[in-house]
Every structure is written in C-alpha cells, then in structure tokens.
Amino acid sequence: MSELILALLAGGTVGITLGALGAGGGIIAVPALVYLLGFTPAEATTASLLIVSVTSLTALYAHARTGAVQWRGGLLLAAAGVLPAALAGVLAARVPAALLTAAFGLVAGLAGLRMLRPVPQAAPPTAATAVQPVKVVSAGAGLGALTGLLGVGGGFLAVPALTGVLAFRIRAAVATSLLVVSVNALVALAARGGTATGVDWAVVGPFAAAAVLGAWDGKRLGAKLPEAVLHRVFAGVLLAVALLMLVDAVR
C-alpha cells in the first residue's frame, strides 16, 4: 500500500476518533506515523502536534456550533497547562526514543483502564463552578506536560479530568476537551520551534487533510452513540495502543 494511501487512511481514523471522542487523535497519530509511515518517535510527536492542532480546532468549531463546549472550565484547564506544555516541549527532544515510547504506552494504558470504569453520573456542567480550583489546576498542568512531552493533545486524559474533576457529563467533556487539546498542542508546537523544518509535508499534509474531514464525520457519529459505548470504545483504543508501544519499547 502506498505511503499516500496509508497517510489518508490513518488521518481519517484520527479525525473520526477526535471528532467522536474529543480525544485519541495524537495517541493514534503517533503510532501510525512511527509504524506505518516510518517516522522516528521524535519526528512523529512533532508531526502529531501539527495534525492534532489542525484537527482539534476543526472539531472544536463543529461542537461549539451546537453549544456543547463549556468554555469556562475548558479555558481554566487549558491555561493551567500552558507553561508545563511549553517546558515539556523543549525537553522532549532530549528524551531517548525507547523511553519516550515506553512513557507513551504507559500513559495510554493507565488512561484506558480508567475509562473502563462506569460512566459517572455527574451533575450538569454548571456544577463545575463548585469544584476545587487546586484540583482543576493540577489536572490542567499534568495534561499540558504530557502534551509537550508525548506529542498528543491530552484529550485522552482531559475527558476523564472533565468528567471527574469538573463534574461534566461525557458529551460536554468530549466537546470541551477539544479546547484543552487545541491550546496544549499549539503551545507545545510553538515550544518545539513552530516546526515546519524537518516535517515531511508530502505525508503530513494529506494526513492532516484527511483528519480534518474525518473530524466532521466523527462529531456526527459521537452524537449517535450512547455514553457507555463511547467510554468502552475509547478504552479499547487506548489499551491496544498501549500494548503495541510497550512491547516495542522493551524489544
């Protein structure tokens, strides 16, 4: 299968996942870039930030049009992650490839296990104002650091953070996580030097374009699926990626 076709298929999968789940874009993009398209882990994390930035902004716009985005909680989480995302983005180039791969797999696995827990019966989004700010800031800082280091938007942890810490329902969390993902990815990308240099645009361009188109379909798909199904699908994707990355790290 040609490189272009692989890029388009992988990009479409990333977009659908991000549009439906508010997460999973980078955590699928990085393995796809490494194992299907021959990128090094460092190249893949930078390219992933580019792809996730464009795709998450597209998906955010689609969700914002329906009024599902809870801007106050999302901006608080995003603001808390700005500095950690920038610092981790600078340090990422110095991390050995095997360690980066292992860290990616471990984080994906932990997030997947957490998402297997029953869907929380949360209060409406307006209850987020009663949540302790320290917990929100801590969660946001952790998301930013992971984004900068691993080249993912952090949505796979932002969704559980928004449901658990900010008491959002899953659909509001999915939509709002895209705001956190967008900010974190753009900041981490800027910390890596913006990044047109060294990016294989012949691959990344079609990959990103397919992801943008897929995000619109993913948003419609996510609106039709029950909350429990969204959780289980999300968890399954994360655990499969975690297994792949951890096996590769120890070889």
Side-chain angles (χ1 to χ4, degrees):
M1 190 178 295
S2 74
E3 192 174 72
L4 176 59
I5 294 175
L6 287 173
L8 291 172
L9 290 175
T13 302
V14 166
I16 290 171
T17 304
L18 193 59
L21 303 176
I27 211 164
I28 294 176
V30 171
L33 289 165
V34 172
Y35 299 114
L36 295 180
L37 297 167
F39 283 50
T40 67
E43 292 169 343
T45 55
T46 299
S48 172
L49 287 171
L50 273 169
I51 294 163
V52 168
S53 296
V54 174
T55 310
S56 59
L57 285 170
T58 301
L60 175 63
Y61 172 72
H63 282 276
R65 291 179 63 190
T66 68
V69 179
Q70 302 299 313
W71 297 96
R72 181 176 178 178
L75 286 172
L76 180 57
L77 268 184
V82 167
L83 182 58
L87 293 175
V90 172
L91 294 174
R94 303 179 182 180
V95 178
L99 182 58
L100 197 64
T101 301
F104 193 105
L106 180 61
V107 169
L110 291 174
L113 291 173
R114 178 168 182 173
M115 290 299 289
L116 284 175
R117 294 165 58 184
V119 177
Q121 298 302 311
T126 53
T129 55
V131 176
Q132 296 181 17
V134 173
K135 291 184 178 180
V136 178
V137 172
S138 298
L143 293 173
L146 287 171
T147 298
L149 182 64
L150 301 180
V152 297
F156 61 99
L157 294 177
V159 172
L162 288 165
T163 56
V165 178
L166 284 172
F168 283 5
R169 296 293 302 204
I170 183 64
R171 296 197 189 282
V174 166
T176 307
S177 73
L178 291 163
L179 173 61
V180 182
V181 167
S182 299
V183 173
N184 284 344
L186 288 169
V187 169
L189 189 59
R192 295 189 182 206
T195 218
T197 304
V199 171
D200 186 353
W201 289 104
V203 173
V204 174
F207 196 120
V212 167
L213 294 175
W216 290 95
D217 292 330
K219 189 263 178 187
R220 290 192 289 268
L221 176 64
K224 297 178 181 178
L225 295 176
E227 294 181 4
V229 172
L230 287 175
H231 272 251
R232 288 195 292 269
V233 170
F234 195 7
V237 171
L238 292 177
L239 291 173
V241 169
L243 180 61
L244 176 66
M245 301 296 274
L246 289 172
V247 168
D248 184 54
V250 299
R251 284 193 305 183

